[in-house]
Amino acid sequence: MTALALDSHQLCYRDARHYSLTFDGKGGEKQDMKYENGRGIFTLNSANEIMWQDETGHAGDNAVFITAR
């Protein structure tokens, strides 16, 4: 995906691809496309955490990424 700044606290993407790769153990692979042109927004909140709103697959709805120590 490619993200573009909406403002100083948000990144927006509109071209995400979601797919699974399965490897057969012999050097081959199979790609299972879930969707293309996925959309969403990453927002930096006041606690310096990144929040993800996944507008297409909804896997990231209300997800928060925090610093692990």
Side-chain angles (χ1 to χ4, degrees):
M1 78 173 94
T2 304
L4 300 172
L6 291 179
D7 59 35
S8 62
H9 294 89
Q10 290 187 318
L11 294 174
C12 174
Y13 63 90
R14 291 181 167 76
D15 62 349
R17 293 188 311 149
H18 178 199
Y19 58 90
S20 297
L21 285 177
T22 304
F23 298 94
D24 65 10
K26 300 175 187 173
E29 65 183 50
K30 176 185 169 195
Q31 181 174 314
D32 180 23
M33 183 65 66
K34 305 296 183 188
Y35 60 79
E36 295 184 82
N37 298 317
R39 301 169 64 111
I41 297 174
F42 293 100
T43 304
L44 182 64
N45 67 18
S46 60
N48 288 321
E49 301 164 335
I50 298 174
M51 302 179 72
W52 179 24
Q53 285 302 122
D54 179 6
E55 296 173 5
T56 304
H58 300 285
D61 288 351
N62 301 309
V64 178
F65 297 89
I66 60 172
T67 302
R69 298 181 199 264

Short mmCIF file of all heavy atoms in Angstrom, two decimals:
data_model
loop_
_atom_site.label_atom_id
_atom_site.label_comp_id
_atom_site.label_asym_id
_atom_site.label_seq_id
_atom_site.Cartn_x
_atom_site.Cartn_y
_atom_site.Cartn_z
N MET A 1 0.83 -1.18 0.00
CA MET A 1 0.00 0.00 0.00
C MET A 1 0.87 1.24 0.00
O MET A 1 2.04 1.18 0.38
CB MET A 1 -0.92 0.00 1.22
CG MET A 1 -0.23 0.41 2.52
SD MET A 1 -1.35 0.58 3.90
CE MET A 1 -1.21 -1.03 4.61
N THR A 2 0.29 2.33 -0.40
CA THR A 2 0.95 3.62 -0.38
C THR A 2 0.11 4.55 0.48
O THR A 2 -1.10 4.65 0.27
CB THR A 2 1.05 4.22 -1.80
OG1 THR A 2 1.72 3.29 -2.64
CG2 THR A 2 1.79 5.54 -1.78
N ALA A 3 0.73 5.18 1.46
CA ALA A 3 -0.01 6.08 2.36
C ALA A 3 0.37 7.53 2.06
O ALA A 3 1.52 7.83 1.77
CB ALA A 3 0.29 5.76 3.81
N LEU A 4 -0.63 8.40 2.13
CA LEU A 4 -0.43 9.83 1.93
C LEU A 4 -0.89 10.58 3.17
O LEU A 4 -1.88 10.20 3.80
CB LEU A 4 -1.23 10.32 0.73
CG LEU A 4 -0.88 9.66 -0.60
CD1 LEU A 4 -1.88 10.09 -1.67
CD2 LEU A 4 0.52 10.02 -1.02
N ALA A 5 -0.19 11.65 3.53
CA ALA A 5 -0.55 12.44 4.71
C ALA A 5 -1.83 13.22 4.45
O ALA A 5 -1.96 13.89 3.43
CB ALA A 5 0.58 13.40 5.07
N LEU A 6 -2.79 13.10 5.39
CA LEU A 6 -3.99 13.92 5.34
C LEU A 6 -3.75 15.21 6.11
O LEU A 6 -4.22 16.27 5.73
CB LEU A 6 -5.18 13.19 5.96
CG LEU A 6 -5.71 11.99 5.20
CD1 LEU A 6 -6.87 11.35 5.95
CD2 LEU A 6 -6.16 12.40 3.81
N ASP A 7 -3.05 15.08 7.23
CA ASP A 7 -2.65 16.22 8.05
C ASP A 7 -1.45 15.75 8.87
O ASP A 7 -0.86 14.72 8.57
CB ASP A 7 -3.80 16.73 8.92
CG ASP A 7 -4.36 15.67 9.87
OD1 ASP A 7 -3.59 14.84 10.38
OD2 ASP A 7 -5.58 15.69 10.11
N SER A 8 -1.07 16.47 9.91
CA SER A 8 0.13 16.12 10.66
C SER A 8 -0.05 14.88 11.54
O SER A 8 0.92 14.39 12.09
CB SER A 8 0.58 17.29 11.52
OG SER A 8 -0.43 17.62 12.47
N HIS A 9 -1.27 14.35 11.66
CA HIS A 9 -1.52 13.20 12.53
C HIS A 9 -2.17 12.02 11.82
O HIS A 9 -2.51 11.04 12.46
CB HIS A 9 -2.40 13.61 13.71
CG HIS A 9 -1.73 14.56 14.63
ND1 HIS A 9 -1.79 15.93 14.45
CD2 HIS A 9 -0.97 14.37 15.72
CE1 HIS A 9 -1.10 16.53 15.40
NE2 HIS A 9 -0.59 15.59 16.18
N GLN A 10 -2.38 12.11 10.51
CA GLN A 10 -3.08 11.04 9.81
C GLN A 10 -2.43 10.68 8.48
O GLN A 10 -1.98 11.55 7.75
CB GLN A 10 -4.54 11.43 9.52
CG GLN A 10 -5.39 11.49 10.76
CD GLN A 10 -6.86 11.72 10.40
OE1 GLN A 10 -7.16 12.51 9.53
NE2 GLN A 10 -7.73 11.00 11.08
N LEU A 11 -2.42 9.37 8.22
CA LEU A 11 -2.00 8.83 6.93
C LEU A 11 -3.17 8.05 6.35
O LEU A 11 -3.81 7.26 7.05
CB LEU A 11 -0.81 7.88 7.08
CG LEU A 11 0.50 8.49 7.54
CD1 LEU A 11 1.52 7.38 7.79
CD2 LEU A 11 1.03 9.46 6.51
N CYS A 12 -3.44 8.27 5.08
CA CYS A 12 -4.56 7.61 4.40
C CYS A 12 -4.00 6.71 3.29
O CYS A 12 -3.07 7.09 2.60
CB CYS A 12 -5.48 8.68 3.81
SG CYS A 12 -6.80 8.03 2.80
N TYR A 13 -4.58 5.51 3.13
CA TYR A 13 -4.20 4.66 2.01
C TYR A 13 -5.45 4.22 1.26
O TYR A 13 -6.53 4.10 1.83
CB TYR A 13 -3.38 3.44 2.48
CG TYR A 13 -4.11 2.51 3.40
CD1 TYR A 13 -4.86 1.45 2.90
CD2 TYR A 13 -4.06 2.68 4.78
CE1 TYR A 13 -5.53 0.59 3.75
CE2 TYR A 13 -4.72 1.83 5.63
CZ TYR A 13 -5.46 0.78 5.10
OH TYR A 13 -6.13 -0.07 5.94
N ARG A 14 -5.30 4.00 -0.06
CA ARG A 14 -6.43 3.61 -0.90
C ARG A 14 -6.07 2.50 -1.88
O ARG A 14 -6.86 2.17 -2.75
CB ARG A 14 -6.93 4.83 -1.70
CG ARG A 14 -7.60 5.86 -0.84
CD ARG A 14 -8.09 7.03 -1.68
NE ARG A 14 -9.00 7.90 -0.96
CZ ARG A 14 -8.66 8.79 -0.05
NH1 ARG A 14 -7.39 8.91 0.29
NH2 ARG A 14 -9.56 9.54 0.54
N ASP A 15 -4.88 1.94 -1.73
CA ASP A 15 -4.44 0.94 -2.71
C ASP A 15 -3.88 -0.33 -2.06
O ASP A 15 -3.04 -1.01 -2.64
CB ASP A 15 -3.39 1.56 -3.63
CG ASP A 15 -2.14 2.01 -2.88
OD1 ASP A 15 -2.15 2.03 -1.64
OD2 ASP A 15 -1.14 2.33 -3.54
N ALA A 16 -4.36 -0.68 -0.89
CA ALA A 16 -3.84 -1.85 -0.19
C ALA A 16 -4.31 -3.15 -0.85
O ALA A 16 -5.41 -3.23 -1.37
CB ALA A 16 -4.28 -1.84 1.27
N ARG A 17 -3.45 -4.14 -0.83
CA ARG A 17 -3.81 -5.49 -1.29
C ARG A 17 -3.68 -6.43 -0.09
O ARG A 17 -2.71 -6.37 0.65
CB ARG A 17 -2.88 -5.96 -2.40
CG ARG A 17 -3.05 -5.15 -3.66
CD ARG A 17 -2.28 -5.72 -4.83
NE ARG A 17 -0.90 -6.00 -4.48
CZ ARG A 17 -0.17 -6.97 -5.02
NH1 ARG A 17 -0.68 -7.74 -5.94
NH2 ARG A 17 1.08 -7.15 -4.65
N HIS A 18 -4.66 -7.27 0.08
CA HIS A 18 -4.64 -8.27 1.15
C HIS A 18 -4.68 -9.65 0.50
O HIS A 18 -5.63 -9.98 -0.21
CB HIS A 18 -5.85 -8.09 2.06
CG HIS A 18 -5.93 -9.11 3.15
ND1 HIS A 18 -7.08 -9.36 3.82
CD2 HIS A 18 -5.01 -9.94 3.68
CE1 HIS A 18 -6.89 -10.31 4.72
NE2 HIS A 18 -5.63 -10.68 4.64
N TYR A 19 -3.62 -10.40 0.73
CA TYR A 19 -3.58 -11.75 0.18
C TYR A 19 -2.80 -12.66 1.11
O TYR A 19 -2.03 -12.20 1.96
CB TYR A 19 -2.98 -11.77 -1.23
CG TYR A 19 -1.59 -11.22 -1.34
CD1 TYR A 19 -0.47 -12.03 -1.18
CD2 TYR A 19 -1.38 -9.87 -1.61
CE1 TYR A 19 0.80 -11.52 -1.28
CE2 TYR A 19 -0.10 -9.35 -1.72
CZ TYR A 19 0.98 -10.18 -1.56
OH TYR A 19 2.24 -9.67 -1.65
N SER A 20 -3.01 -13.95 0.96
CA SER A 20 -2.29 -14.96 1.71
C SER A 20 -1.38 -15.72 0.76
O SER A 20 -1.77 -16.02 -0.37
CB SER A 20 -3.25 -15.97 2.35
OG SER A 20 -4.08 -15.33 3.27
N LEU A 21 -0.17 -16.01 1.22
CA LEU A 21 0.75 -16.84 0.46
C LEU A 21 0.88 -18.18 1.16
O LEU A 21 1.09 -18.24 2.38
CB LEU A 21 2.13 -16.20 0.37
CG LEU A 21 2.31 -15.02 -0.58
CD1 LEU A 21 3.72 -14.48 -0.49
CD2 LEU A 21 1.99 -15.42 -2.00
N THR A 22 0.74 -19.24 0.41
CA THR A 22 0.93 -20.59 0.94
C THR A 22 2.11 -21.21 0.21
O THR A 22 2.14 -21.23 -1.03
CB THR A 22 -0.33 -21.45 0.69
OG1 THR A 22 -1.45 -20.79 1.27
CG2 THR A 22 -0.18 -22.83 1.32
N PHE A 23 3.09 -21.70 0.96
CA PHE A 23 4.28 -22.31 0.40
C PHE A 23 4.15 -23.82 0.47
O PHE A 23 3.72 -24.37 1.49
CB PHE A 23 5.53 -21.84 1.16
CG PHE A 23 5.75 -20.37 1.05
CD1 PHE A 23 5.27 -19.51 2.03
CD2 PHE A 23 6.40 -19.82 -0.05
CE1 PHE A 23 5.45 -18.13 1.92
CE2 PHE A 23 6.58 -18.45 -0.16
CZ PHE A 23 6.11 -17.62 0.81
N ASP A 24 4.54 -24.52 -0.61
CA ASP A 24 4.37 -25.97 -0.66
C ASP A 24 5.59 -26.74 -0.14
O ASP A 24 5.58 -27.96 -0.12
CB ASP A 24 4.01 -26.43 -2.07
CG ASP A 24 5.11 -26.19 -3.09
OD1 ASP A 24 6.25 -25.83 -2.71
OD2 ASP A 24 4.83 -26.35 -4.30
N GLY A 25 6.64 -26.04 0.28
CA GLY A 25 7.84 -26.71 0.80
C GLY A 25 8.78 -27.18 -0.30
O GLY A 25 9.82 -27.76 -0.01
N LYS A 26 8.42 -26.99 -1.55
CA LYS A 26 9.25 -27.42 -2.68
C LYS A 26 9.65 -26.23 -3.55
O LYS A 26 10.04 -26.40 -4.69
CB LYS A 26 8.49 -28.43 -3.53
CG LYS A 26 8.09 -29.67 -2.78
CD LYS A 26 7.24 -30.56 -3.65
CE LYS A 26 6.72 -31.73 -2.82
NZ LYS A 26 5.75 -32.52 -3.56
N GLY A 27 9.52 -25.03 -2.99
CA GLY A 27 9.88 -23.83 -3.73
C GLY A 27 8.70 -23.17 -4.42
O GLY A 27 8.84 -22.08 -4.98
N GLY A 28 7.55 -23.80 -4.40
CA GLY A 28 6.37 -23.22 -5.03
C GLY A 28 5.52 -22.46 -4.02
O GLY A 28 5.64 -22.65 -2.80
N GLU A 29 4.66 -21.63 -4.53
CA GLU A 29 3.77 -20.87 -3.66
C GLU A 29 2.43 -20.64 -4.36
O GLU A 29 2.34 -20.67 -5.59
CB GLU A 29 4.37 -19.52 -3.27
CG GLU A 29 4.58 -18.58 -4.43
CD GLU A 29 5.24 -17.28 -4.01
OE1 GLU A 29 6.28 -17.32 -3.32
OE2 GLU A 29 4.71 -16.22 -4.38
N LYS A 30 1.41 -20.43 -3.56
CA LYS A 30 0.08 -20.13 -4.08
C LYS A 30 -0.38 -18.83 -3.43
O LYS A 30 -0.28 -18.66 -2.21
CB LYS A 30 -0.90 -21.25 -3.73
CG LYS A 30 -2.31 -20.98 -4.14
CD LYS A 30 -3.24 -22.09 -3.66
CE LYS A 30 -4.67 -21.66 -3.86
NZ LYS A 30 -5.59 -22.50 -3.12
N GLN A 31 -0.88 -17.92 -4.24
CA GLN A 31 -1.37 -16.64 -3.73
C GLN A 31 -2.89 -16.64 -3.75
O GLN A 31 -3.51 -16.93 -4.77
CB GLN A 31 -0.85 -15.49 -4.60
CG GLN A 31 -1.28 -14.13 -4.13
CD GLN A 31 -0.63 -13.00 -4.92
OE1 GLN A 31 0.56 -13.01 -5.15
NE2 GLN A 31 -1.43 -12.05 -5.34
N ASP A 32 -3.50 -16.32 -2.60
CA ASP A 32 -4.95 -16.25 -2.47
C ASP A 32 -5.33 -14.79 -2.19
O ASP A 32 -5.17 -14.31 -1.08
CB ASP A 32 -5.43 -17.16 -1.34
CG ASP A 32 -6.93 -17.14 -1.14
OD1 ASP A 32 -7.66 -16.79 -2.09
OD2 ASP A 32 -7.38 -17.45 -0.02
N MET A 33 -5.80 -14.09 -3.22
CA MET A 33 -6.14 -12.67 -3.10
C MET A 33 -7.46 -12.52 -2.36
O MET A 33 -8.46 -13.11 -2.72
CB MET A 33 -6.25 -12.04 -4.49
CG MET A 33 -6.53 -10.55 -4.48
SD MET A 33 -5.22 -9.53 -3.77
CE MET A 33 -3.92 -9.79 -4.94
N LYS A 34 -7.44 -11.73 -1.29
CA LYS A 34 -8.66 -11.43 -0.53
C LYS A 34 -9.34 -10.19 -1.09
O LYS A 34 -10.53 -10.19 -1.29
CB LYS A 34 -8.33 -11.22 0.96
CG LYS A 34 -7.58 -12.35 1.61
CD LYS A 34 -8.39 -13.61 1.64
CE LYS A 34 -7.60 -14.68 2.38
NZ LYS A 34 -8.21 -15.98 2.29
N TYR A 35 -8.55 -9.13 -1.30
CA TYR A 35 -9.08 -7.93 -1.95
C TYR A 35 -7.95 -7.03 -2.42
O TYR A 35 -6.82 -7.16 -1.96
CB TYR A 35 -10.05 -7.14 -1.05
CG TYR A 35 -9.47 -6.63 0.25
CD1 TYR A 35 -8.67 -5.49 0.29
CD2 TYR A 35 -9.73 -7.27 1.45
CE1 TYR A 35 -8.16 -5.01 1.48
CE2 TYR A 35 -9.23 -6.80 2.64
CZ TYR A 35 -8.44 -5.67 2.66
OH TYR A 35 -7.93 -5.19 3.83
N GLU A 36 -8.28 -6.14 -3.33
CA GLU A 36 -7.38 -5.10 -3.81
C GLU A 36 -8.06 -3.75 -3.58
O GLU A 36 -9.26 -3.69 -3.33
CB GLU A 36 -7.08 -5.29 -5.29
CG GLU A 36 -6.33 -6.57 -5.57
CD GLU A 36 -5.96 -6.71 -7.02
OE1 GLU A 36 -4.94 -6.12 -7.42
OE2 GLU A 36 -6.70 -7.39 -7.75
N ASN A 37 -7.30 -2.67 -3.67
CA ASN A 37 -7.82 -1.31 -3.49
C ASN A 37 -8.42 -1.09 -2.10
O ASN A 37 -9.41 -0.38 -1.95
CB ASN A 37 -8.83 -0.95 -4.59
CG ASN A 37 -8.19 -0.96 -5.95
OD1 ASN A 37 -7.09 -0.47 -6.12
ND2 ASN A 37 -8.85 -1.57 -6.91
N GLY A 38 -7.82 -1.73 -1.10
CA GLY A 38 -8.25 -1.53 0.28
C GLY A 38 -8.00 -0.10 0.72
O GLY A 38 -7.06 0.56 0.25
N ARG A 39 -8.85 0.38 1.62
CA ARG A 39 -8.77 1.77 2.09
C ARG A 39 -8.73 1.80 3.61
O ARG A 39 -9.32 0.95 4.27
CB ARG A 39 -9.98 2.55 1.62
CG ARG A 39 -10.15 2.59 0.13
CD ARG A 39 -11.51 3.15 -0.26
NE ARG A 39 -11.63 4.53 0.16
CZ ARG A 39 -11.68 5.56 -0.65
NH1 ARG A 39 -11.64 5.36 -1.95
NH2 ARG A 39 -11.78 6.78 -0.20
N GLY A 40 -8.07 2.83 4.15
CA GLY A 40 -8.03 2.99 5.59
C GLY A 40 -7.23 4.21 6.00
O GLY A 40 -6.68 4.93 5.16
N ILE A 41 -7.18 4.42 7.32
CA ILE A 41 -6.48 5.58 7.88
C ILE A 41 -5.71 5.15 9.13
O ILE A 41 -6.22 4.41 9.96
CB ILE A 41 -7.48 6.69 8.26
CG1 ILE A 41 -8.21 7.20 7.02
CG2 ILE A 41 -6.79 7.84 8.98
CD1 ILE A 41 -9.31 8.19 7.31
N PHE A 42 -4.48 5.63 9.23
CA PHE A 42 -3.67 5.51 10.44
C PHE A 42 -3.64 6.89 11.09
O PHE A 42 -3.37 7.89 10.43
CB PHE A 42 -2.24 5.07 10.12
CG PHE A 42 -2.14 3.68 9.58
CD1 PHE A 42 -1.99 3.45 8.23
CD2 PHE A 42 -2.19 2.59 10.44
CE1 PHE A 42 -1.89 2.17 7.73
CE2 PHE A 42 -2.07 1.30 9.95
CZ PHE A 42 -1.93 1.10 8.59
N THR A 43 -3.92 6.94 12.40
CA THR A 43 -3.94 8.21 13.13
C THR A 43 -3.02 8.12 14.34
O THR A 43 -3.07 7.15 15.09
CB THR A 43 -5.37 8.54 13.61
OG1 THR A 43 -6.24 8.55 12.49
CG2 THR A 43 -5.42 9.88 14.32
N LEU A 44 -2.18 9.13 14.55
CA LEU A 44 -1.35 9.24 15.74
C LEU A 44 -2.16 10.00 16.78
O LEU A 44 -2.54 11.15 16.58
CB LEU A 44 -0.06 9.99 15.42
CG LEU A 44 0.93 10.15 16.57
CD1 LEU A 44 1.46 8.80 17.03
CD2 LEU A 44 2.07 11.07 16.16
N ASN A 45 -2.46 9.33 17.92
CA ASN A 45 -3.28 9.99 18.95
C ASN A 45 -2.41 10.75 19.95
O ASN A 45 -1.19 10.76 19.85
CB ASN A 45 -4.22 8.99 19.64
CG ASN A 45 -3.50 7.95 20.48
OD1 ASN A 45 -2.34 8.10 20.85
ND2 ASN A 45 -4.19 6.86 20.78
N SER A 46 -3.04 11.38 20.93
CA SER A 46 -2.33 12.23 21.89
C SER A 46 -1.38 11.45 22.80
O SER A 46 -0.48 12.02 23.40
CB SER A 46 -3.33 13.02 22.74
OG SER A 46 -4.16 12.14 23.45
N ALA A 47 -1.56 10.12 22.91
CA ALA A 47 -0.67 9.28 23.72
C ALA A 47 0.46 8.70 22.87
O ALA A 47 1.17 7.80 23.31
CB ALA A 47 -1.47 8.15 24.36
N ASN A 48 0.63 9.22 21.64
CA ASN A 48 1.64 8.74 20.69
C ASN A 48 1.46 7.28 20.33
O ASN A 48 2.43 6.55 20.12
CB ASN A 48 3.06 9.02 21.19
CG ASN A 48 3.40 10.48 21.11
OD1 ASN A 48 3.01 11.16 20.15
ND2 ASN A 48 4.08 10.99 22.10
N GLU A 49 0.22 6.84 20.26
CA GLU A 49 -0.13 5.51 19.79
C GLU A 49 -0.71 5.65 18.38
O GLU A 49 -1.32 6.66 18.05
CB GLU A 49 -1.20 4.87 20.69
CG GLU A 49 -0.76 4.75 22.12
CD GLU A 49 -1.92 4.49 23.06
OE1 GLU A 49 -3.07 4.86 22.74
OE2 GLU A 49 -1.67 3.91 24.12
N ILE A 50 -0.51 4.64 17.56
CA ILE A 50 -1.06 4.66 16.21
C ILE A 50 -2.36 3.86 16.22
O ILE A 50 -2.38 2.70 16.63
CB ILE A 50 -0.07 4.08 15.19
CG1 ILE A 50 1.18 4.95 15.15
CG2 ILE A 50 -0.72 3.97 13.81
CD1 ILE A 50 2.28 4.40 14.30
N MET A 51 -3.42 4.50 15.75
CA MET A 51 -4.72 3.85 15.65
C MET A 51 -5.00 3.55 14.18
O MET A 51 -4.65 4.35 13.30
CB MET A 51 -5.80 4.74 16.24
CG MET A 51 -5.53 5.08 17.70
SD MET A 51 -6.78 6.15 18.41
CE MET A 51 -8.12 4.99 18.53
N TRP A 52 -5.63 2.39 13.90
CA TRP A 52 -5.89 1.97 12.53
C TRP A 52 -7.37 1.77 12.31
O TRP A 52 -8.03 1.03 13.05
CB TRP A 52 -5.15 0.67 12.27
CG TRP A 52 -5.32 0.07 10.91
CD1 TRP A 52 -5.66 0.69 9.75
CD2 TRP A 52 -5.13 -1.31 10.56
NE1 TRP A 52 -5.70 -0.19 8.70
CE2 TRP A 52 -5.38 -1.44 9.18
CE3 TRP A 52 -4.77 -2.43 11.29
CZ2 TRP A 52 -5.28 -2.65 8.52
CZ3 TRP A 52 -4.67 -3.63 10.63
CH2 TRP A 52 -4.92 -3.74 9.26
N GLN A 53 -7.90 2.44 11.32
CA GLN A 53 -9.28 2.22 10.86
C GLN A 53 -9.20 1.59 9.47
O GLN A 53 -8.76 2.23 8.52
CB GLN A 53 -10.08 3.52 10.80
CG GLN A 53 -10.49 4.06 12.14
CD GLN A 53 -11.33 3.09 12.95
OE1 GLN A 53 -10.93 2.75 14.06
NE2 GLN A 53 -12.44 2.64 12.44
N ASP A 54 -9.59 0.35 9.37
CA ASP A 54 -9.53 -0.44 8.14
C ASP A 54 -10.90 -0.38 7.47
O ASP A 54 -11.83 -1.07 7.86
CB ASP A 54 -9.14 -1.87 8.51
CG ASP A 54 -9.06 -2.81 7.34
OD1 ASP A 54 -9.19 -2.36 6.19
OD2 ASP A 54 -8.86 -4.01 7.58
N GLU A 55 -11.05 0.45 6.44
CA GLU A 55 -12.34 0.69 5.82
C GLU A 55 -12.80 -0.43 4.88
O GLU A 55 -13.96 -0.47 4.52
CB GLU A 55 -12.32 2.02 5.07
CG GLU A 55 -12.11 3.21 5.99
CD GLU A 55 -11.91 4.51 5.25
OE1 GLU A 55 -12.02 4.53 4.00
OE2 GLU A 55 -11.61 5.51 5.92
N THR A 56 -11.90 -1.33 4.50
CA THR A 56 -12.27 -2.38 3.55
C THR A 56 -12.47 -3.73 4.24
O THR A 56 -13.56 -4.28 4.23
CB THR A 56 -11.21 -2.51 2.45
OG1 THR A 56 -11.05 -1.23 1.82
CG2 THR A 56 -11.60 -3.54 1.40
N GLY A 57 -11.42 -4.26 4.83
CA GLY A 57 -11.50 -5.58 5.45
C GLY A 57 -11.94 -5.57 6.89
O GLY A 57 -12.31 -6.59 7.45
N HIS A 58 -11.87 -4.41 7.52
CA HIS A 58 -12.25 -4.19 8.92
C HIS A 58 -11.41 -5.00 9.92
O HIS A 58 -11.77 -5.10 11.08
CB HIS A 58 -13.75 -4.43 9.14
CG HIS A 58 -14.57 -3.51 8.29
ND1 HIS A 58 -14.73 -2.18 8.59
CD2 HIS A 58 -15.22 -3.73 7.11
CE1 HIS A 58 -15.48 -1.62 7.64
NE2 HIS A 58 -15.77 -2.52 6.74
N ALA A 59 -10.28 -5.54 9.46
CA ALA A 59 -9.38 -6.27 10.36
C ALA A 59 -8.74 -5.33 11.38
O ALA A 59 -8.42 -5.74 12.48
CB ALA A 59 -8.30 -6.99 9.57
N GLY A 60 -8.54 -4.09 11.00
CA GLY A 60 -7.87 -3.13 11.87
C GLY A 60 -8.80 -2.18 12.58
O GLY A 60 -8.35 -1.22 13.20
N ASP A 61 -10.10 -2.41 12.50
CA ASP A 61 -11.02 -1.49 13.15
C ASP A 61 -10.71 -1.35 14.64
O ASP A 61 -10.62 -2.34 15.36
CB ASP A 61 -12.47 -1.95 12.98
CG ASP A 61 -12.97 -1.76 11.57
OD1 ASP A 61 -12.26 -1.11 10.78
OD2 ASP A 61 -14.06 -2.24 11.26
N ASN A 62 -10.52 -0.12 15.05
CA ASN A 62 -10.22 0.22 16.44
C ASN A 62 -8.94 -0.41 16.97
O ASN A 62 -8.75 -0.53 18.17
CB ASN A 62 -11.40 -0.13 17.35
CG ASN A 62 -12.66 0.61 16.93
OD1 ASN A 62 -12.64 1.81 16.76
ND2 ASN A 62 -13.74 -0.12 16.73
N ALA A 63 -8.03 -0.81 16.07
CA ALA A 63 -6.75 -1.35 16.49
C ALA A 63 -5.84 -0.21 16.94
O ALA A 63 -5.84 0.86 16.35
CB ALA A 63 -6.09 -2.12 15.34
N VAL A 64 -5.08 -0.48 18.00
CA VAL A 64 -4.13 0.51 18.52
C VAL A 64 -2.77 -0.15 18.62
O VAL A 64 -2.63 -1.23 19.18
CB VAL A 64 -4.57 1.02 19.91
CG1 VAL A 64 -3.55 2.02 20.46
CG2 VAL A 64 -5.96 1.65 19.85
N PHE A 65 -1.75 0.50 18.05
CA PHE A 65 -0.38 0.02 18.12
C PHE A 65 0.34 0.83 19.19
O PHE A 65 0.36 2.06 19.12
CB PHE A 65 0.33 0.21 16.77
CG PHE A 65 -0.31 -0.58 15.66
CD1 PHE A 65 -1.34 -0.04 14.91
CD2 PHE A 65 0.13 -1.86 15.37
CE1 PHE A 65 -1.92 -0.75 13.88
CE2 PHE A 65 -0.45 -2.59 14.34
CZ PHE A 65 -1.48 -2.03 13.59
N ILE A 66 0.91 0.14 20.16
CA ILE A 66 1.60 0.80 21.26
C ILE A 66 3.07 0.40 21.26
O ILE A 66 3.45 -0.62 20.65
CB ILE A 66 0.96 0.47 22.61
CG1 ILE A 66 1.01 -1.03 22.89
CG2 ILE A 66 -0.49 0.95 22.65
CD1 ILE A 66 0.59 -1.43 24.27
N THR A 67 3.88 1.16 21.94
CA THR A 67 5.30 0.84 22.07
C THR A 67 5.46 -0.28 23.09
O THR A 67 4.95 -0.21 24.19
CB THR A 67 6.08 2.07 22.56
OG1 THR A 67 5.88 3.13 21.63
CG2 THR A 67 7.55 1.78 22.68
N ALA A 68 6.15 -1.34 22.68
CA ALA A 68 6.44 -2.46 23.58
C ALA A 68 7.86 -2.30 24.10
O ALA A 68 8.78 -1.99 23.35
CB ALA A 68 6.31 -3.78 22.84
N ARG A 69 8.02 -2.48 25.35
CA ARG A 69 9.35 -2.33 25.96
C ARG A 69 9.79 -3.62 26.57
O ARG A 69 9.13 -4.39 27.04
CB ARG A 69 9.32 -1.24 27.02
CG ARG A 69 8.97 0.07 26.39
CD ARG A 69 8.97 1.17 27.44
NE ARG A 69 8.23 2.32 26.99
CZ ARG A 69 8.77 3.37 26.43
NH1 ARG A 69 10.06 3.44 26.25
NH2 ARG A 69 8.03 4.38 26.05
#
